[in-house]
C-alpha cells in the first residue's frame, strides 16, 4: 500500500449533517487549501486514511491527493480524531509548491537514550518534534538527536541540533530567546544532589539547636 498517495473525491454537500453522513459511510471529510488557490472540500476513504496515519512518516511527508484527474501535493496541517473511537473526524491539507518553502512539524528520534540513562540520569523530553522550514524536496521524515554524551545537569537546545541541509528551525529564526530546550538529563530524586542538600539542612538545624 502506498501510504503517501490517497484517492479523494470533491464534495459539494457541506455542513455538519453532511459530515455526519459521510462518517457513517466510512468516509473522512477534509479540506485542501493554500498556494493561492480556493479551498476545495473533499472526502477520503476512512480505512485507507486510518491505515496510513498509523505510520509516523505520514505526518512529515509530502503526500499526493488524487482529486479527480489532478494529482495535488500536500502536507497535513490538522487532523481531528474522535475522543474515544478509533475514527478520523476531519483533516486539513495544505497545498505545497515545489519552489516555495513550507513550514511543518517533524518528529525527533532520540538515539542512545539507554546509554545516557546508564549514568543514573533521568532523561526528560521537552519536545518530541521540531517545526521546520524548507522546500518540499528537502523535508526530512524525522530528525535524529544523539544523547549518548548527555550528562547529568546538561540540556540539549534547538541550537545544538544539526538540521539537514536546506532545513531551518522556525523557532530559532525568531531569535536567540526562542532557543528552546529539547531534552535534559537530571539527577534522580534522592540522588547525590538531594542528599547533599539534606545534609546541609541537617547541619543547619543542629547549629540552631546548639
Amino acid at each position: 500500500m502506498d501510504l503517501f498517495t490517497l484517492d479523494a473525491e470533491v464534495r459539494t454537500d457541506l455542513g455538519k449533517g453532511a459530515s455526519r453522513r459521510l462518517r457513517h459511510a466510512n468516509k473522512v471529510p477534509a479540506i485542501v487549501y493554500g498556494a493561492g488557490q480556493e479551498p476545495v472540500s473533499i472526502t477520503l476513504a476512512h480505512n485507507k486514511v486510518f491505515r496510513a496515519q498509523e505510520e509516523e512518516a505520514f505526518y512529515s511527508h509530502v503526500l499526493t491527493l488524487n482529486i479527480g484527474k489532478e494529482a495535488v501535493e500536500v502536507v497535513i496541517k490538522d487532523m481531528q480524531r474522535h475522543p474515544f473511537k478509533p475514527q478520523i473526524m476531519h483533516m486539513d491539507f495544505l497545498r505545497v509548491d515545489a519552489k516555495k518553502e513550507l513550514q511543518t512539524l517533524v518528529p525527533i528520534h532520540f538515539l542512545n537514550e539507554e546509554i545516557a540513562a546508564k549514568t543514573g540520569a533521568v532523561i526528560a523530553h521537552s519536545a518530541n518534534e521540531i517545526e521546520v522550514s524548507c522546500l518540499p524536496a528537502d523535508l526530512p521524515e524525522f530528525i535524529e538527536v544523539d544523547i549518548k554524551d548527555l550528562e547529568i545537569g546538561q540540556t540539549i537546545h534547538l541550537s545544538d541540533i544539526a538540521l539537514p541541509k536546506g532545513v531551518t528551525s522556525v523557532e530559532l529564526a525568531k531569535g536567540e530567546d526562542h532557543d528552546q530546550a529539547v531534552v535534559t538529563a537530571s539527577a534522580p530524586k534522592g540522588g547525590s544532589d538531594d542528599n547533599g542538600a539534606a545534609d546541609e539542612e541537617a547541619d543547619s538545624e543542629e547549629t540552631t539547636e546548639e
Side-chain angles (χ1 to χ4, degrees):
M1 176 182 176
D2 184 353
L3 299 176
F4 307 131
T5 301
L6 297 170
D7 294 329
E9 297 177 356
V10 175
R11 62 186 174 104
T12 55
D13 190 7
L14 307 177
K16 292 183 179 179
S19 294
R20 279 196 297 269
R21 288 191 292 273
L22 286 171
R23 295 182 188 113
H24 284 310
N26 293 317
K27 301 282 188 178
V28 180
I31 189 167
V32 182
Y33 61 92
Q37 300 180 40
E38 289 295 320
V40 176
S41 296
I42 61 172
T43 60
L44 304 159
H46 186 273
N47 62 333
K48 291 186 178 180
V49 172
F50 194 82
R51 170 66 186 88
Q53 62 86 38
E54 292 179 317
E55 302 296 328
E56 180 187 63
F58 183 70
Y59 301 93
S60 57
H61 201 283
V62 175
L63 310 174
T64 299
L65 295 180
N66 292 324
I67 306 175
K69 296 181 179 180
E70 183 183 9
V72 182
E73 291 194 328
V74 298
V75 291
I76 295 176
K77 292 304 291 183
D78 189 41
M79 180 186 292
Q80 298 174 21
R81 305 171 188 273
H82 194 280
F84 57 87
K85 294 180 181 179
Q87 183 180 14
I88 308 300
M89 303 292 287
H90 190 275
M91 300 179 73
D92 290 6
F93 296 98
L94 177 68
R95 296 185 187 93
V96 300
D97 185 330
K99 298 179 180 179
K100 293 183 179 179
E101 290 195 346
L102 59 88
Q103 293 184 359
T104 192
L105 295 169
V106 175
I108 302 172
H109 286 186
F110 293 97
L111 305 180
N112 297 309
E113 187 165 337
E114 69 283 357
I115 295 177
K118 285 182 179 179
T119 64
V122 175
I123 306 300
H125 299 168
S126 301
N128 289 303
E129 53 192 11
I130 298 175
E131 186 175 14
V132 302
S133 177
C134 63
L135 292 173
D138 295 327
L139 181 62
E141 291 187 5
F142 55 84
I143 294 169
E144 293 183 340
V145 177
D146 194 339
I147 62 173
K148 67 178 179 180
D149 296 323
L150 190 64
E151 299 178 355
I152 292 176
Q154 292 183 334
T155 296
I156 292 177
H157 293 81
L158 285 174
S159 60
D160 299 317
I161 299 174
L163 297 176
K165 184 179 179 180
V167 180
T168 59
S169 163
V170 172
E171 284 301 311
L172 283 182
K174 298 176 183 177
E176 293 183 1
D177 56 336
H178 288 265
D179 191 10
Q180 300 173 346
V182 175
V183 58
T184 300
S186 304
K189 292 183 178 180
S192 58
D193 290 348
D194 291 343
N195 288 339
D199 291 342
E200 289 180 8
E201 185 177 345
D203 291 342
S204 176
E205 289 177 355
E206 289 177 3
T207 302
T208 303
E209 290 176 0
E210 290 176 358

